[in-house]
Amino acid sequence: MFEFRLPDIGEGVAEGEVVQWFVKEGDTIQEDQPLVSVLTDKANVEIPSPRSGKIVKLHAPVGQKVKVGGLLVTIDAPAGPSASSAASPQAPPASAPATAPVPGAKPGPSPPAPSSSDRVAASPYLRRLAAERGIDLTKVRGSGPGGRVVEADLVGGAPSAAPPSTPSPVAEPRTRPEGAAPPPASSGTGTPLSIPASEIAERVPIRGLRRVIAEHMAEATHRAAHFTYVEEVDVSELVRIRDRMAKHVEKQGTKLSYLPFVVKGVVAGLKAHPRLNATVDDARSELIVRSKYHLGIATAAPDGLIVPVVRDADTKSVARLAREIGDLAERGRAGKLSRDELSGSTFTITSLGLLGGVMATPILNYPEVGILGVHKIQRRPVYRPDGTIGPADLMNLSISLDHRMVDGLEGAQFLAVVKGYLEDPHQLFAEMA
């Protein structure tokens, strides 16, 4: 019998949630055939079978989180290299929510047995909180599902023998930080709702990408102090320029939306106000101002919202940005983005296109300090400086900022720069000359 354990599937990943099994007990599977899809950090990893044989037992049902090194499946496999002599597990590239086969996820020696504190069922956020309070989690009785430690359990918890360790050097922040906010009540904490069965149409488990999104949104609102500022922009000239450029860009097979122009305007605003191109390291009470302009573009995918990243956006033309944004969105919806393409953003833009509405209050992509909402363009009558009334193409921009790090004045000044570039888009091309 071969016991296959969850391999190391990426830097900083401590656990994964089983999203889909491609086999059932009693099935016969071939080596490298898709075995299981595991969700980690907003990306699915499709793990192939390490051996050929018969599936004896699936140890983790769909929706269960498994730690790296945790038992996934037992396979009745012919004699072969033992787990201890196999090659070390490699970290396969991750895909977005819809999975695609990923090579290189061969199993290797099982990771060392976790320490007693690692075996405690608790989120990274709770572990950090316990460390800050000097509480030994091995001496805390969890009241959550399956004995999981929840925040209420830390009140009066047993102090640990040693003080919290000194923080390690600052690591590159990721789109989704290691610390996770307390899960919402619907994910299993708190008192279950009492609703008459006759009034329930369906019970939909909150799992997979939807649970990751819920935890991420809860953490963003739990940690950051949101405030939103809205500005109206006259994009009449931008509409004319975009219409003329589209004819040429679309000959190359690329659709030209307004988003690449917004990206260029945002980069100009971030250069003028670099504190908005930053991420917060709450563990060290530091604002990390970033030297690169990696813009996250919020994108709707079949299983939920994802944020592909346009790297070095300041170095790319409008046409190239259009191609890259279109490619990222298409592959994101198909589930073919790597982990690197879904992480590392320094500022995020979210747009609903034609459904952009009048205004919104976007939630920060924590630990970033700013996110820009782009709304639909509408033609309306406006007063001209000469006192006449005429038509104009108007659009609202709404920016949400972390008020702990950014004052309202600076946020307004940033948006004024973006507005200036979109109202006079010729500046975007003059900068590139």
Side-chain angles (χ1 to χ4, degrees):
M1 296 295 175
F2 174 74
E3 292 186 338
F4 180 49
R5 300 176 180 275
L6 181 64
D8 183 353
I9 49 181
E11 181 181 356
V13 174
E15 63 182 10
E17 179 182 341
V18 176
V19 175
Q20 180 183 3
W21 283 104
F22 300 109
V23 294
K24 61 183 183 295
E25 292 178 1
D27 283 354
T28 299
I29 192 169
Q30 300 299 315
E31 183 176 355
D32 291 330
Q33 180 181 332
L35 176 66
V36 63
S37 176
V38 177
L39 177 70
T40 65
D41 200 9
K42 270 196 176 180
N44 277 2
V45 177
E46 188 175 282
I47 301 176
S49 177
R51 301 280 183 89
S52 299
K54 182 178 180 181
I55 303 298
V56 177
K57 185 172 180 59
L58 305 179
H59 295 277
V62 170
Q64 179 172 315
K65 291 187 176 181
V66 180
K67 292 184 179 297
V68 170
L71 185 58
L72 282 175
V73 59
T74 299
I75 303 174
D76 186 358
S82 65
S84 60
S85 64
S88 299
Q90 303 295 318
S95 65
T99 59
V102 176
K106 296 296 183 64
S110 298
S115 65
S116 58
S117 61
D118 288 338
R119 287 194 294 267
V120 175
S123 70
Y125 167 78
L126 264 297
R127 294 180 186 280
R128 180 189 300 172
L129 199 60
E132 291 172 354
R133 297 179 182 179
I135 296 174
D136 184 351
L137 284 178
T138 63
K139 296 181 172 59
V140 176
R141 175 175 294 179
S143 61
R148 189 176 185 83
V149 176
V150 297
E151 189 165 357
D153 299 329
L154 300 186
V155 178
S160 60
S165 59
T166 303
S168 58
V170 175
E172 176 74 8
R174 299 178 302 162
T175 300
R176 180 171 179 254
E178 291 182 10
S186 59
S187 67
T189 63
T191 304
L193 296 177
S194 178
I195 300 176
S198 61
E199 298 181 13
I200 298 176
E202 182 182 8
R203 285 187 179 272
V204 181
I206 302 175
R207 60 168 61 127
L209 180 63
R210 180 51 55 189
R211 178 156 68 184
V212 171
I213 292 173
E215 291 175 351
H216 192 192
M217 294 297 102
E219 178 169 32
T221 54
H222 171 74
R223 290 185 178 276
H226 284 67
F227 82 93
T228 301
Y229 175 77
V230 182
E231 183 64 272
E232 184 179 69
V233 183
D234 184 343
V235 292
S236 301
E237 183 62 20
L238 176 60
V239 169
R240 286 190 284 272
I241 288 180
R242 179 260 174 193
D243 288 345
R244 289 198 293 269
M245 285 188 64
K247 299 174 183 178
H248 303 286
V249 175
E250 289 175 4
K251 287 180 181 178
Q252 305 170 23
T254 301
K255 182 178 179 181
L256 181 61
S257 69
Y258 294 99
L259 200 50
F261 297 95
V262 174
V263 168
K264 299 297 288 185
V266 165
V267 168
L270 294 176
K271 286 183 176 180
H273 299 277
R275 284 173 59 88
L276 274 70
N277 191 53
T279 46
V280 183
D281 188 341
D282 275 311
R284 297 173 179 81
S285 296
E286 292 179 348
L287 178 69
I288 304 175
V289 179
R290 310 295 290 276
S291 60
K292 299 287 187 177
Y293 300 91
H294 302 325
L295 298 194
I297 308 295
T299 303
D303 292 336
L305 192 68
I306 59 174
V307 187
V309 180
V310 176
R311 300 193 180 278
D312 301 308
D314 57 317
T315 67
K316 297 171 181 175
S317 67
V318 168
R320 183 175 174 186
L321 286 170
R323 288 194 297 271
E324 191 164 328
I325 291 171
D327 173 65
L328 288 170
E330 182 178 353
R331 289 191 294 117
R333 287 188 287 267
K336 296 180 180 179
L337 294 178
S338 69
R339 175 179 296 279
D340 286 344
E341 292 172 314
L342 289 165
S343 62
S345 56
T346 62
F347 187 95
T348 294
I349 299 172
T350 179
S351 170
L352 285 176
L354 296 177
L355 297 176
V358 176
M359 194 199 84
T361 55
I363 296 177
L364 288 168
N365 188 13
Y366 180 86
E368 296 166 22
V369 302
I371 181 171
L372 183 75
V374 181
H375 306 287
K376 64 183 177 182
I377 297 174
Q378 289 184 311
R379 174 155 286 200
R380 300 200 302 270
V382 298
Y383 281 102
R384 303 295 188 190
D386 61 2
T388 61
I389 298 178
D393 293 301
L394 303 179
M395 175 179 69
N396 286 345
L397 298 176
S398 58
I399 184 168
S400 291
L401 297 164
D402 190 339
H403 216 333
R404 300 176 304 162
M405 304 297 152
V406 183
D407 293 332
L409 176 61
E410 188 172 12
Q413 291 172 333
F414 163 82
L415 205 52
V417 174
V418 178
K419 175 180 177 178
Y421 273 81
L422 295 181
E423 289 190 337
D424 184 9
H426 299 278
Q427 296 181 77
L428 298 175
F429 303 101
E431 270 199 351
M432 296 162 55

